[in-house]
Structures are given as structure tokens and as C-alpha cells.
Amino acid sequence: MTADSTQKKQLVSAVLKRQVLYIAGFTAGFAAALWAFLTFFKPFVSDILYAFVGQSWTLYSMVTVLFWPLVVICYFSGIYLVVRAGVNQAFRYFDLLLASVESILAKRDEPVSLPPELAATALALNQVKTEQDRAERAAKAAEERKNELVAYLAHDIKTPITSIIGYLTLLGDSPDLPVDVRARYTGIALDKAYKLEELLEEFFEITRYNLQSIPIERSRFDGALFCNQVIDEFYPLAEGRGLSLSYAGPAELEVFADAGRVARILNNVMKNAVAYADAGTEVAVHTALATGADGFVWWQITVTDRGRELSPAHLERIFEKFFRADEARASSAGGAGLGLAIAREIARAHGGDIYAASDAGLTSFTIWIPQGPSVAVRAPSAS
């Protein structure tokens, strides 16, 4: 039985019980009043009535014949008024519910309070209020963090621009510089330009950040070739950090997903792995089709690197937007903190998920993309 049906049953039961009690109370009171009238007041009232009709027995008899029909009419009129009062009191519940909803919308501090028969509804409304408050605090914190990161990036953008202008000015003002010095200055300016490009990409990523509207368009493609193509893109960056890249999985693997979106997931995870892996270690990518206990098939991609171990508290927050492992804004590895958050949202938009684990410096990110008949099935828990 659902909470809604339970609440409805409790409310109906409370209203019916109250109506029965009211009717029973009125009936008992009416019967007691009738008994008292017949026992103690009837002779006195009969004498008054007889005198009122001019001591005419015929008129008196006609009037007394109407006594019991009047009693019945009075009884059912009373029942009608009692039932009407009960219905009006039942409608009071709607007024209380509307007032409670208005209190939530008005963001008042006091909790929702309703009669005992609406306890389940009061609990649900208070949960909604609590979740609304939590969401507002989270949104406010995220907005503050976003503004802070925009300010940081705007400040950081000035540094490479200043360097680029400085070195290009030197090159322009000193045409007789030796070739090796000119080449070194040109290389530095180019490196700063690349850094500026990265910062601008992060800046635009923040300004257009909206994970709630990710369109997914699936198609069939070779997942093995796909993974190797993404790995190939990271060879220059990995070589610069003294890392090796490896692939483990079948030579061919037909999968069904949005290749462009999954590429973004894997790119973000690979970028994180290459940035934080210890120099001289290996970043490994493994892919396969995994079948759950219920027979549902998943496309699994796991990226593993060896470096600093991540604490459980860190793992809980690593997929939060604007969260960075390295909070130093000047870190060459620290980005805007959107990559893994976007990766999770794209995976969930597919009906899957992404999980992280870290043990003894070995950190892995596992992506699950559903391949079975229903994408509504939840991805299995990461081991």
C-alpha cells in the first residue's frame, strides 16, 4: 500500500468516525430530550395546548396527531445539520493543506503542522520543505562558487595574456635576436596561448553550465575503436608527463550509445587521470560488456591511474559541480571542477552512472552505459 492510499484511508476513516460519533451523539441527545419531554413535560404541555385550542377536543386531537411526524422531521433535520457540519469540518482539511503549501512557498521558518489524521501529509510536506531549503542552499553555494571561479579564471586569464604580449613585444622590438632565443620566446608565447585557450574553454564551460538538458541520441558503433581513438588523443599530454597509456579489451565491441556524449565522459575522466597520475606510471583503459544478475547488459569502461589516494570524503564529493581535488587556483592540474560532474550527468542521461574508487593510490573511474532493452534499470554498484 502506497503512502498516498494510506493517507487517504486514514483521512476517510477519521471523517467517517467523526460523522458516526456526531450522529450517535445527536441521536442519544435527541432520544434523551424526547424521553424527558414525554415523562416530565407532556402533561403540562398538553394542558396548555388544550387551553390554546379553546378546549376543543377535536382540534386538540388533530394537533396531537402531528406530534410524531414533527418528531421525525426534527430528528432528520438535526441529522442533516450534523452531517453538514461534519462535511464542512472535512473541507477544513483543504484549507489547512492550502495554508501549509502557502507557508512552504512563502519560505516561512516554522514547520508544517496538521491534525493527527493528516500526519503522513504533514511529514511529506515537511520533507518537501526540508529538501527545498537544502536545494536552495546548495544552489546558492554553487552560484557563489561559480562566481568565485569566474573571478579566479578572469584573474588567471590576465597572466598568460601579459606573458604573450610581453614576449611578442620583445620579438617585435628586437628583430636581431638570435634564432635560438627567438625560437625560445616563440615557444613560450605559444605555450601561454595554449594555456589561455584552456582557461577560456573553462570560462565558457562555466557560463553555459546546464546539466539538466542533455539530449541523448544513440547509435551503434565499435566501442573498442572508440576507446582507442580517445586514448590516442591523450598521447602527447601523457608523454609530456612521462605517463604510458594502455588499452585492455576486445578488438571489436558493438555498443549502443551517444558516441559524442560518451566521448565527453571518457575525455573528462582521462583528463583527470592524466593530470593526477604519478609521473612514470600507467593510465589504463579497460572496456567490456558486463551482464548483471538480472541478465541486463551494460557497457563498462574503466579508467585506472596510480597517484595520490583519494579519501572516502573526497570520493563522495568528487562528482559535485565546481569541486576540485586541488583547491589551489593556480594549480596547472586544477580545472573548473565541472569535468566529472558533467561526466556523471551524461552517464545518468543515458540511464547509467559513473563510480569512483581509490585504494592504496590506485584510483579507478568506472562508467556504466545500459545496453539492454530498458534504460530505466539502475546501474550496478561499483565494486
Side-chain angles (χ1 to χ4, degrees):
M1 184 179 292
T2 64
D4 290 342
S5 61
T6 301
Q7 175 66 95
K8 184 187 297 182
K9 185 177 180 180
Q10 290 175 348
L11 187 57
V12 170
S13 176
V15 171
L16 288 177
K17 285 179 180 178
R18 184 178 291 110
Q19 290 284 49
V20 170
L21 288 174
Y22 286 171
I23 292 173
F26 172 77
T27 301
F30 189 86
L34 182 61
W35 175 83
F37 174 79
L38 294 174
T39 303
F40 300 106
F41 301 104
K42 183 178 179 181
F44 177 71
V45 173
S46 295
D47 291 342
I48 295 175
L49 180 61
Y50 186 69
F52 179 76
V53 297
Q55 297 182 348
S56 171
W57 181 255
T58 303
L59 291 176
Y60 174 78
S61 299
M62 291 176 62
V63 172
T64 55
V65 168
L66 298 174
F67 174 74
W68 287 108
L70 287 174
V71 169
V72 173
I73 291 172
C74 290
Y75 174 73
F76 282 106
S77 297
I79 291 294
Y80 168 76
L81 293 175
V82 168
V83 172
R84 182 177 178 180
V87 171
N88 288 335
Q89 188 169 7
F91 279 122
R92 244 185 92 250
Y93 291 128
F94 292 100
D95 295 334
L96 292 173
L97 289 173
L98 287 174
S100 300
V101 173
E102 288 176 359
S103 174
I104 293 175
L105 294 177
K107 301 177 182 178
R108 299 191 182 101
D109 294 332
E110 64 272 9
V112 173
S113 179
L114 294 172
E117 52 268 30
L118 291 175
T121 300
L123 178 62
L125 289 176
N126 280 315
Q127 288 175 344
V128 169
K129 180 178 176 62
T130 301
E131 181 62 23
Q132 182 187 55
D133 293 342
R134 187 203 63 78
E136 287 181 356
R137 289 194 299 270
K140 183 178 180 181
E143 186 65 23
E144 291 175 353
R145 180 63 174 149
K146 176 179 175 179
N147 293 337
E148 179 183 328
L149 284 168
V150 169
Y152 284 168
L153 288 172
H155 177 272
D156 287 348
I157 285 173
K158 294 180 181 179
T159 302
I161 288 179
T162 301
S163 297
I164 292 171
I165 292 174
Y167 282 107
L168 292 180
T169 300
L170 282 174
L171 291 171
D173 293 345
S174 306
D176 55 347
L177 281 174
V179 175
D180 58 337
V181 175
R182 181 177 290 275
R184 182 160 60 88
Y185 286 175
T186 303
I188 294 174
L190 182 60
D191 289 339
K192 297 297 181 181
Y194 286 143
K195 179 61 177 177
L196 178 60
E197 182 184 33
E198 292 177 4
L199 290 171
L200 288 173
E201 286 178 357
E202 290 187 3
F203 185 85
F204 288 124
E205 194 70 63
I206 291 174
T207 57
R208 66 173 178 261
Y209 183 72
N210 180 12
L211 299 181
Q212 281 69 44
S213 56
I214 299 178
I216 299 299
E217 298 178 353
R218 297 174 179 82
S219 61
R220 300 197 178 278
F221 58 93
D222 187 346
L225 177 62
F226 167 87
C227 289
N228 279 290
Q229 288 175 338
V230 175
I231 291 172
D232 289 343
E233 295 175 7
F234 282 89
Y235 272 118
L237 183 60
E239 186 176 357
R241 297 207 61 239
L243 302 171
S244 61
L245 303 178
S246 68
Y247 167 80
E252 294 183 1
L253 184 68
E254 183 179 283
V255 295
F256 185 62
D258 187 324
R261 299 296 184 185
V262 179
R264 191 171 185 186
I265 299 176
L266 190 53
N267 267 288
N268 290 346
V269 173
M270 286 287 293
K271 183 178 180 181
N272 182 82
V274 171
Y276 289 102
D278 289 342
T281 60
E282 179 184 70
V283 174
V285 178
H286 173 269
T287 190
L289 292 180
T291 304
D294 57 355
F296 197 86
V297 180
W298 299 87
W299 178 24
Q300 173 190 351
I301 309 174
T302 301
V303 178
T304 306
D305 69 88
R306 185 171 295 279
R308 186 180 64 185
E309 184 176 17
L310 303 180
S311 67
H314 187 152
L315 289 174
E316 288 181 2
R317 298 192 58 201
I318 198 167
F319 294 108
E320 292 180 9
K321 57 184 178 180
F322 307 128
F323 176 77
R324 295 194 297 177
D326 188 347
E327 290 297 327
R329 67 183 177 89
S331 169
S332 61
L338 286 175
L340 295 179
I342 292 174
R344 181 179 65 177
E345 294 302 325
I346 294 175
R348 290 183 174 179
H350 276 82
D353 216 329
I354 179 172
Y355 302 91
S358 185
D359 183 30
L362 190 65
T363 300
S364 64
F365 289 86
T366 303
I367 306 158
W368 297 92
I369 305 296
Q371 300 297 296
S374 173
V375 297
V377 178
R378 185 71 175 171
S381 299
S383 58

